Amino acid sequence: MRMETLEFPMLTHQPNHTNQGGAFAVVNNPIQPITTEVIHISPALAQHWLDYYNTNNRKLRPKRVALYAHQMKNGQWQLTGEPIIVGQRGRILNGQHRLAAIVEANTTVPMVVVSNVDDSAFKNIDNGLTRQPSDVLKQLGINDAHQGAAVARLYLALDAGLNPCNTNALALVTRTDIADWAAGCSLNLQDALSEGRKMYEACKGSRTAWSVLWLLVTQRYGTDKALEFFRSTALGTNMDLGDARLTLRNWSMKTRSEEHTSEL
């Protein structure tokens, strides 16, 4: 069966379909109107599409796949309007990293799929005016949206096991990653920015790092424990030598210059 005679799944495709080959059908006229649908893509189906329809695409970035897979396995992945884009001949024009992540995570994920896009559009995908994470954060009512984007980027990098001191690793956290994550936890992010600002005023150091620490501590121990830890660290009183809070406070007080927090 020749690839150019294959049609990508249309609206008649059933969401829970798991047949690896059944997502495509032979058609007499492969040029069809552009269609959009939500498909629950299984690991087997994603692998099939990658094996047979991901030709002449950009080089796959394993660390980005690992980041997406981590989010999918931990229930952090959300269905957004960003689609898997498929050409008129069935070729994957956009979305190979998400498909590869589904395979790596070994979990079925719903995805918006836009099919029958002109194949020549491949060179223009992602070339338009890029929406900055801060634009989304502003819409969510986040104060100091630029700082919020820096906090989100560092948090997501740590959550994915990336090296936060490596700028190339931080760059793997995309604008879309930041926007999607912030949309699901805007209240937590706003609290983190507020607490990070207070700790910076009390102990200097890094506003971004303090805010990320707030997110990590509240996630593991809850808000009450986080407040107790932050308040006592800020005051620096009634602590014995060797207390982790005092060590953190003293180290932070020596760090007077805050890192650059502009968006990458």
Side-chain angles (χ1 to χ4, degrees):
M1 183 177 294
R2 296 175 60 83
M3 189 176 71
E4 61 263 26
T5 66
L6 296 178
E7 177 67 18
F8 205 77
M10 305 296 286
L11 289 173
T12 54
H13 179 92
Q14 296 301 315
N16 293 322
H17 183 65
T18 57
N19 185 340
Q20 294 184 28
F24 300 85
V26 177
V27 294
N28 294 325
N29 179 13
I31 309 301
Q32 299 291 333
I34 291 177
T35 61
T36 303
E37 61 178 324
V38 175
I39 298 177
H40 285 68
I41 302 177
S42 67
L45 188 56
Q47 187 64 65
H48 181 75
W49 291 358
L50 289 169
D51 289 343
Y52 293 99
Y53 305 102
N54 190 39
T55 59
N56 300 319
N57 211 326
R58 299 177 179 90
K59 184 178 180 180
L60 199 67
R61 299 180 182 179
K63 289 186 178 180
R64 180 164 295 178
V65 172
L67 175 64
Y68 290 168
H70 176 82
Q71 294 174 346
M72 291 173 182
K73 285 190 289 188
N74 288 278
Q76 298 171 335
W77 190 267
Q78 293 182 332
L79 178 64
T80 68
E82 184 177 6
I84 304 291
I85 301 178
V86 185
Q88 293 168 329
R89 307 292 179 178
R91 177 188 171 198
I92 303 295
L93 302 182
N94 189 44
Q96 62 169 346
H97 287 88
R98 281 166 284 164
L99 292 173
I102 290 174
V103 175
E104 184 169 323
N106 193 32
T107 185
T108 298
V109 178
M111 291 280 178
V112 175
V113 177
V114 175
S115 54
N116 297 317
V117 174
D118 192 321
D119 292 306
S120 65
F122 176 77
K123 63 181 182 295
N124 296 317
I125 291 175
D126 295 333
N127 284 345
L129 181 62
T130 304
R131 179 184 61 174
Q132 297 295 326
S134 58
D135 296 331
V136 178
L137 300 188
K138 288 177 183 177
Q139 294 176 354
L140 294 172
I142 299 295
N143 297 326
D144 198 352
H146 287 278
Q147 177 66 17
V151 170
R153 186 183 298 279
L154 179 57
Y155 173 82
L156 289 172
L158 289 170
D159 192 54
L162 301 175
N163 181 0
C165 297
N166 187 319
T167 55
N168 291 328
L170 286 176
L172 292 173
V173 181
T174 67
R175 295 177 174 90
T176 301
D177 296 330
I178 294 172
D180 289 348
W181 175 80
C185 60
S186 58
L187 293 178
N188 291 342
L189 179 57
Q190 188 65 69
D191 288 343
L193 291 172
S194 177
E195 295 300 326
R197 188 178 303 108
K198 293 176 184 176
M199 291 303 294
Y200 176 69
E201 292 171 353
C203 305
K204 301 303 180 184
S206 165
R207 259 204 306 163
T208 302
W210 282 121
S211 294
V212 171
L213 181 61
W214 171 266
L215 290 170
L216 295 174
V217 174
T218 54
Q219 179 179 315
R220 182 163 184 176
Y221 299 105
T223 302
D224 291 341
K225 288 290 186 181
L227 281 171
E228 179 183 346
F229 178 83
F230 271 59
R231 296 296 178 265
S232 59
T233 302
L235 292 172
T237 57
N238 301 320
M239 295 182 190
D240 297 326
L241 189 64
D243 190 307
R245 295 168 296 174
L246 183 60
T247 302
L248 175 61
R249 174 186 170 82
N250 291 340
W251 174 84
S252 185
M253 290 291 287
K254 294 178 182 178
T255 308
R256 296 292 177 180
S257 60
E258 187 175 6
E259 82 288 342
H260 180 60
T261 59
S262 63
E263 297 172 27
L264 298 176

